[in-house]
Amino acid sequence: MGCRPSPIAAVIRVYKFERATIYTDVKFISLSLYGRYIDDAWTLADNRETAISLFNNIARQDPRELLKWEVDFPEDGDFTPFLGTEIRITDDKLESKFYRKGTRKDITLHFRSHHPLETKVQTVRNFYRTAEISSSNPELLEQSLAITDRLLLANGYEHPRQFGEQRTRGRLTKGNNNVMLKLPYVSETVSGEIRKFITARALPIDLVFTPGTRLRDMLCSSRPHDNLECLAKNCNICERLEKGSCNTMSPVYQITCLLCGEIWGGAGQ
């Protein structure tokens, strides 16, 4: 699920498997509930065997046998992971709290990262807001907040709850006539001086600080075959091309003989 098309591909692929099983098989048509979000599915079944049979039948539709379901069953008094939360049913009541997988590393936007202060504050606020929304009662809320505290402390925020409560500049106001000015973020000192200069002179400018060029931008690419440029100087091939470069993948080309005028075409690897 690391690249952008992955969620869409997962939805389409798993839906094709579902069409061949639960939507056509008489054994599963009477299911009272079945749902899925990308590659996480849930259902209400009469017993464990029915639930396991359902997901195994869906997995068997994959000709490459790459679809593997991990089936969790709610136990009495125990929490079951579900879409970034943990849920349980006690006395016919649904309870939930914030959850992070044990396999996930405690990595998020670090306090010492080269980002504007507003970005860090909003990141902290969003974590605590998610913890509050995911928690069904005050006791579970404290457990959710403790998970968030540990995550943020591991990323350099000494007092994360107080850090998220500090005031920052509000969002840009829609409908004004100000000009948006984007500048690369250097430091809080530099950003503060620029804001003071604009405010003192009442300039109609809305400032937006961007992280600028990052190491990830320079060293990584999700589309490495785009915009391939020739590194050779005075390349004899590139100077004859109207578009692209000699590094283009799988080109289709046409060559005209300068002596006889015949045209020859082909495709490269």
Side-chain angles (χ1 to χ4, degrees):
M1 303 297 290
C3 61
R4 294 176 182 176
S6 296
I8 300 176
V11 170
I12 297 174
R13 188 172 180 81
V14 179
Y15 177 68
K16 290 177 62 178
F17 301 154
E18 294 169 345
R19 285 284 301 271
T21 52
I22 59 176
Y23 298 145
T24 57
D25 197 327
V26 178
K27 293 187 298 182
F28 302 119
I29 289 178
S30 60
L31 284 174
S32 59
L33 174 65
Y34 175 83
R36 176 174 52 80
Y37 178 75
I38 303 180
D39 57 352
D40 291 324
W42 64 93
T43 185
L44 288 179
D46 295 332
N47 50 59
R48 290 172 178 260
E49 290 73 18
T50 302
I52 294 175
S53 175
L54 166 65
F55 292 110
N56 286 342
N57 281 357
I58 297 175
R60 276 195 289 268
Q61 302 301 316
D62 185 4
R64 301 169 61 185
E65 299 183 354
L66 297 177
L67 181 60
K68 305 294 182 182
W69 293 103
E70 294 182 4
V71 185
D72 294 316
F73 297 95
E75 303 288 348
D76 293 337
D78 292 338
F79 283 93
T80 301
F82 180 71
L83 293 178
T85 65
E86 282 188 309
I87 61 174
R88 71 179 177 185
I89 299 176
T90 56
D91 299 329
D92 296 330
K93 292 182 180 179
L94 179 65
E95 296 181 334
S96 63
K97 64 179 181 178
F98 183 54
Y99 172 72
R100 286 178 64 87
K101 291 183 178 180
T103 56
R104 293 186 63 178
K105 297 181 179 179
D106 289 337
I107 299 177
T108 186
L109 184 64
H110 200 278
F111 176 74
R112 297 179 62 185
S113 64
H114 194 66
H115 287 74
L117 177 64
E118 292 87 344
T119 303
K120 299 172 186 176
V121 172
Q122 290 300 328
T123 299
V124 172
R125 288 178 180 173
N126 287 336
F127 271 116
Y128 283 113
R129 189 179 299 116
T130 302
E132 293 176 4
I133 295 174
S134 304
S135 305
S136 58
N137 59 53
E139 180 182 355
L140 295 178
L141 173 59
E142 284 302 318
Q143 298 180 26
S144 300
L145 294 177
I147 296 174
T148 306
D149 290 341
R150 288 195 298 270
L151 171 65
L152 296 174
L153 287 170
N155 285 272
Y157 298 90
E158 294 185 359
H159 305 286
R161 299 194 190 188
Q162 290 80 357
F163 183 85
E165 294 174 355
Q166 63 181 297
R167 295 184 58 186
T168 59
R169 289 177 57 87
R171 295 183 178 180
L172 302 182
T173 304
K174 295 182 179 180
N176 60 23
N177 296 322
N178 292 357
V179 178
M180 182 184 297
L181 177 60
K182 290 186 178 182
L183 296 175
Y185 176 76
V186 178
S187 67
E188 285 302 317
T189 303
V190 174
S191 301
E193 291 298 325
I194 296 175
R195 291 195 186 99
K196 290 178 182 179
F197 182 89
I198 293 176
T199 302
R201 288 156 180 80
L203 299 178
I205 296 176
D206 285 329
L207 274 177
V208 176
F209 290 99
T210 61
T213 303
R214 297 164 292 185
L215 289 176
R216 183 177 65 184
D217 301 328
M218 294 186 289
L219 303 177
C220 304
S221 174
S222 60
R223 306 180 68 175
H225 299 299
D226 289 356
N227 302 322
L228 292 177
E229 297 181 359
C230 179
L231 300 179
K233 295 181 179 180
N234 302 321
C235 179
N236 293 326
I237 298 177
C238 291
E239 66 182 12
R240 290 175 169 81
L241 298 176
E242 296 181 0
K243 296 181 180 180
S245 72
C246 62
N247 290 325
T248 303
M249 304 290 291
S250 303
V252 177
Y253 51 87
Q254 175 181 294
I255 299 176
T256 303
C257 180
L258 298 178
L259 298 177
C260 64
E262 294 225 0
I263 297 176
W264 183 76
Q269 299 295 325

